[in-house]
Amino acid sequence: MSGPSSCIRIILGSLYILFFLQGTTAQTALDYYLEAKKLVRSYPDSTLKLIEKANQLLVTNQDSLAVEICITKTDAYRLKGDQYGWRSTLKKCETLNQSLQLKTAQLTITNLKGLLAWKESQLDSAIQYFLSVREQAVNLNDTIGLIKSHNNLGLIFSDIEDYVRSGEEFKQGIYYATLKKDSIGLTYLFNGMNNRYRALEQLDSAIYYIDR
């Protein structure tokens, strides 16, 4: 028997399937993203393939997952050494986040802009980006962001042979990394201090940071 009620049931059934499939697709996109994030440092090429699958399954580009997927893609290009992909994808991330204004994502985007400027030898711009990262990290109470900004600033100041400021940045980074019990961050910071003291030909101090 057919009629208005039968048509309504068909329409409702179709809507249910549509919403169910959207929910399943979004979850699958999230799964691909999480797997990509795990692999990005060791396997940037595999990460890019997973990110492509995640992008194909995204229901909308207007949410935080789309921004995080874009950031991970940018990081994969960075780690792969593909500056063109790094730069172009980073611009897309900025555009995606303009309407959402996700503060943690903006901090990461700013950090990636600083790393790109540094890679392209635009050291003054890189310093300004990392100072901005530090300010954003303070406002967000983001200790990891602070550790990264202090480490990057310490490295840049060492590059331009401003060893007083590099020492200050590394020491601040070590302070926050110790509070956070961030062993990876401490490794980077100790290595930075070691290289700084080697450049200053203060080998006893350099050895101290090797042994930490």
Side-chain angles (χ1 to χ4, degrees):
M1 182 178 178
S2 61
S5 60
S6 178
C7 291
I8 291 171
R9 282 197 297 273
I10 292 170
I11 293 169
L12 289 174
S14 299
L15 288 172
Y16 174 81
I17 291 170
L18 175 63
F19 284 116
F20 175 78
L21 287 175
Q22 282 187 329
T24 304
T25 301
Q27 185 59 47
T28 306
L30 176 61
D31 289 340
Y32 278 124
Y33 158 70
L34 292 174
E35 189 62 28
K37 198 166 176 64
K38 290 178 188 175
L39 296 176
V40 66
R41 290 196 173 278
S42 301
Y43 305 101
D45 284 316
S46 298
T47 296
L48 289 170
K49 291 177 182 177
L50 288 168
I51 288 297
E52 186 60 33
K53 290 180 180 179
N55 275 325
Q56 290 171 358
L57 294 169
L58 269 178
V59 175
T60 174
N61 283 330
Q62 301 302 316
D63 62 17
S64 59
L65 180 58
V67 177
E68 293 300 332
I69 287 173
C70 186
I71 287 171
T72 302
K73 185 176 181 179
T74 306
D75 211 24
Y77 278 126
R78 176 181 72 87
L79 294 164
K80 188 181 175 183
D82 183 341
Q83 284 180 240
Y84 175 79
W86 180 356
R87 189 184 306 105
S88 60
T89 309
L90 186 54
K91 287 180 181 178
K92 292 178 183 176
C93 297
E94 285 190 280
T95 301
L96 283 173
N97 200 42
Q98 277 178 355
S99 58
L100 295 170
Q101 292 294 304
L102 303 170
K103 293 181 179 180
T104 302
Q106 187 56 51
L107 183 150
T108 306
I109 289 169
T110 306
N111 190 60
L112 285 165
K113 289 172 74 174
L115 291 170
L116 180 60
W118 187 3
K119 182 72 173 177
E120 295 177 340
S121 299
Q122 300 172 13
L123 297 187
D124 288 342
S125 294
I127 289 169
Q128 291 307 310
Y129 283 129
F130 292 138
L131 288 172
S132 177
V133 170
R134 186 168 71 187
E135 182 180 352
Q136 291 175 57
V138 169
N139 292 334
L140 291 170
N141 197 26
D142 183 344
T143 307
I144 295 297
L146 280 170
I147 294 166
K148 287 181 178 180
S149 64
H150 284 301
N151 183 61
N152 287 333
L153 285 166
L155 290 170
I156 286 188
F157 287 133
S158 287
D159 280 354
I160 62 176
E161 299 183 0
D162 187 343
Y163 295 115
V164 173
R165 292 182 74 182
S166 71
E168 291 171 353
E169 295 295 341
F170 285 136
K171 286 175 183 176
Q172 281 294 305
I174 289 168
Y175 169 76
Y176 287 114
T178 302
L179 281 181
K180 189 71 176 178
K181 297 181 180 178
D182 178 6
S183 58
I184 295 174
L186 282 170
T187 299
Y188 283 116
L189 289 156
F190 288 156
N191 187 58
M193 283 293 270
N194 169 261
N195 289 332
R196 171 183 176 272
Y197 279 117
R198 283 180 178 277
L200 291 168
E201 298 183 354
Q202 298 177 13
L203 298 185
D204 288 344
S205 296
I207 291 169
Y208 170 81
Y209 283 100
I210 291 177
D211 294 336
R212 294 294 296 270

